[in-house]
Amino acid sequence: SRHSDTHTMLRALRIVRGVFIVLLAFVYMLAINVVQLASLVFYPFFPRAVHRFNCRLVEMLWWSGVKYAFTIGGLRVRVSGDALPMREDGTPETSILFANHQSYTDWLILIVLAYHRGAMSFTKFFMKEILKYVPGLGVGAMLAGFIFLRRNMNSDAARMSKAFDMYRRLNLPVWLISFLEGSRFTASKRDE
C-alpha cells in the first residue's frame, strides 16, 4: 500500500540521517582530539591554561550536540530555581551533582543545566573505565579531567584523590556529575 511505502521510506531516511549524524559527530570528536593532543606540548609550562583549553574544546563539542537537540530534535528544557553561588573570578562554585540514569539522554539534560548555570566547560562525569578506550570520546574526556572508574573502591579511591588534587592544584571549578548506580537502574539490578 502507498501508506506503507511512505512509512518505510521515511524510516529509511531517518536511519540514513542518524548514521550521517553519528559519523559527522565522530569525525568532529577526532578533529578535537587532534587539537587536544597538540596542546599537551604546552602542559608542562601552562598546566591550568592547557586544561581550561581542553575543557573549552569539550564544551564546544557538547554545545554542538545541545544545539542539534534544540533545533533538529525539538528539545525544550525549562530551567528554574535559585541562582548558584559564584566564585570571586565569576566562575561557578564547585559542585557534585547526583542523578539517576534513566535514559541515554540523561547526560544531555545535565549539560543543558550546566549551560544555563554557566558551568558547561567545568562539567565532568564519573565514567566507566572502558569508555576511555572509545575513539574520540576517551581521549577528550581524559584531557578534560573526567574521572574513569573501575567500580573497585581500592583503585577508584586513588583515581578520585588524584583528580581532586589536580582540580585543587590548578584552582579549577568543577561540576562533577555522578550517576550513582553507574547505569540504568532496573528491577533485576536491584535484586543483584
Side-chain angles (χ1 to χ4, degrees), residues 173-184:
V174 176
W175 264 41
L176 185 59
I177 298 174
S178 175
F179 293 113
L180 292 176
E181 74 287 347
S183 59
R184 287 179 311 284

Side-chain angles (χ1 to χ4, degrees), residues 10 25 28 31 67 86 89 103 106 108 128 136-137 147 149-150 157 173-174 188:
L10 286 174
Y28 188 41
K67 190 71 172 164
M86 301 298 272
D89 64 359
S103 75
D106 293 341
L108 177 64
K128 295 177 185 175
L137 174 67
I147 302 173
L149 303 176
R150 293 183 177 163
V174 176
S188 63

Side-chain angles (χ1 to χ4, degrees), residues 76-153:
R76 299 289 175 256
V77 176
R78 181 173 53 190
V79 177
S80 62
D82 297 334
L84 299 175
M86 301 298 272
R87 294 165 27 140
E88 289 181 18
D89 64 359
T91 59
E93 278 291 340
T94 293
S95 301
I96 297 178
L97 289 76
F98 297 102
N100 189 9
H101 207 345
Q102 294 293 311
S103 75
Y104 290 109
T105 58
D106 293 341
W107 63 271
L108 177 64
I109 300 303
L110 293 167
I111 294 300
V112 170
L113 173 65
Y115 167 75
H116 283 285
R117 297 302 188 208
M120 190 184 248
S121 71
F122 308 109
T123 301
K124 299 167 186 343
F125 288 86
F126 284 109
M127 298 177 75
K128 295 177 185 175
E129 183 180 30
I130 192 72
L131 293 175
K132 84 171 144 182
Y133 303 107
V134 174
L137 174 67
V139 170
M142 280 191 291
L143 294 174
F146 287 45
I147 302 173
F148 292 90
L149 303 176
R150 293 183 177 163
R151 294 185 180 178
N152 174 328
M153 197 54 187

Side-chain angles (χ1 to χ4, degrees), residues 1-8:
S1 81
R2 185 174 177 167
H3 177 69
S4 177
D5 291 343
T6 302
H7 179 72
T8 302

Side-chain angles (χ1 to χ4, degrees), residues 7-55:
H7 179 72
T8 302
M9 190 162 94
L10 286 174
R11 183 171 180 206
L13 286 173
R14 286 185 188 118
I15 291 170
V16 168
R17 180 181 74 171
V19 169
F20 176 75
I21 290 166
V22 167
L23 288 174
L24 186 63
F26 182 70
V27 169
Y28 188 41
M29 280 193 292
L30 290 178
I32 286 175
N33 286 170
V34 169
V35 175
Q36 286 180 302
L37 289 169
S39 76
L40 291 179
V41 171
F42 301 102
Y43 190 82
F45 311 105
F46 310 104
R48 187 174 197 276
V50 169
H51 185 83
R52 290 288 300 122
F53 176 73
N54 282 303
C55 290

